[in-house]
Amino acid sequence: MLITSYNPSELGDTLIAILRPDTAEQKIETHQNVTRISDVATGETLGYNFFEVSQTLGQLDVNGQVHLTTDQVDQLNKLLKATDFEPDLVLDTTPKFVVGYVESAEAHPKSDHLQVTQTQIGEGETLQIVSGSPNMQADILVVVAKIGAMMPNGLIIWPGELRGIASNGMIVSGRELHLPNAPQRPGALILPADYQKVGEPFDFKRAQTLFEA
């Protein structure tokens, strides 16, 4: 997994690359303009900070998540190798926000407001997602943020548990997607039944008018 972000107003000319969730004990190594963060227990890379990244990738006209190209990932891997790090960045181009269909929604056994859903996301794949949306129910078309998605507020979706029940993704609201005029209250974004096909990448451009009066 590879999630990258760039926020020059807050962090300067630094690209943040995230490969895995944070762990309790971490090791930090810096070689020249690259810092590697790894898991002490496993040695696996958790992420990198690439300082003065414009010297490698050129000017990045982005403020937030960066969707790197194959060539840009190759350049970063060459930089890692040149600074005596393992070139372990792998580009992930699979869509992270997709249209889903809630097949079932059942009460969480340890909560009075959570529901455990089985949600289809296309190509025969069904995710178990725990949702706290007050309008959650079966037989609705929704937007699913898959594992590895970065929300507009910077939150990254990882596998997790809610009160002991596994949850692999998030059914999101229009507010969480920062869609114009979305209701500023909890509740999943329920799409019209024929809006898009299950499994298709969610069309953010089209969605800009979803909440027009």
Side-chain angles (χ1 to χ4, degrees):
M1 190 171 297
L2 176 60
I3 306 161
T4 50
S5 65
Y6 186 71
N7 188 345
S9 62
E10 297 291 332
L11 300 174
D13 189 23
T14 302
L15 182 76
I16 306 298
I18 301 169
L19 280 67
R20 295 176 176 85
D22 281 339
T23 56
E25 294 187 76
Q26 300 177 3
K27 179 181 179 181
I28 298 176
E29 305 169 79
T30 299
H31 299 172
Q32 299 179 46
N33 281 347
V34 181
T35 292
R36 175 180 182 257
I37 303 97
S38 60
D39 180 4
V40 169
T42 66
E44 292 181 321
T45 301
L46 303 178
Y48 292 100
N49 295 338
F50 294 97
F51 304 102
E52 307 300 333
V53 71
S54 61
Q55 296 178 7
T56 301
L57 299 183
Q59 189 63 41
L60 294 173
D61 187 20
V62 178
N63 188 14
Q65 185 171 10
V66 180
H67 298 283
L68 297 174
T69 65
T70 300
D71 181 62
Q72 287 174 321
V73 172
D74 288 344
Q75 291 180 63
L76 291 175
N77 274 325
K78 288 177 182 177
L79 176 60
L80 288 174
K81 189 172 183 180
T83 52
D84 295 322
F85 286 121
E86 183 70 22
D88 55 357
L89 301 182
V90 178
L91 184 64
D92 181 3
T93 59
T94 59
K96 299 303 179 188
F97 293 90
V98 300
V99 175
Y101 171 73
V102 180
E103 188 176 75
S104 65
E106 299 181 355
H108 190 297
K110 297 181 180 178
S111 170
D112 60 1
H113 71 281
L114 297 175
Q115 294 191 66
V116 182
T117 78
Q118 300 298 321
T119 302
Q120 299 175 13
I121 59 166
E123 298 185 355
E125 186 176 4
T126 299
L127 300 178
Q128 178 170 285
I129 300 176
V130 179
S131 173
S133 295
N135 61 342
M136 185 51 56
Q137 60 186 357
D139 195 29
I140 56 175
L141 206 63
V142 295
V143 181
V144 174
K146 296 168 59 179
I147 301 301
M150 176 180 279
M151 300 294 292
N153 66 359
L155 173 71
I156 296 174
I157 306 301
W158 299 113
E161 289 188 358
L162 287 173
R163 299 198 180 181
I165 300 293
S167 185
N168 292 292
M170 180 178 176
I171 297 172
V172 298
S173 67
R175 177 185 61 171
E176 290 165 330
L177 294 174
H178 289 189
L179 297 181
N181 303 312
Q184 297 302 297
R185 58 179 184 270
L189 170 57
I190 300 177
L191 299 171
D194 58 352
Y195 189 77
Q196 282 186 255
K197 292 183 179 179
V198 174
E200 287 184 344
F202 179 61
D203 189 339
F204 277 90
K205 184 176 180 180
R206 180 183 177 189
Q208 297 304 300
T209 60
L210 259 176
F211 295 100
E212 284 188 350

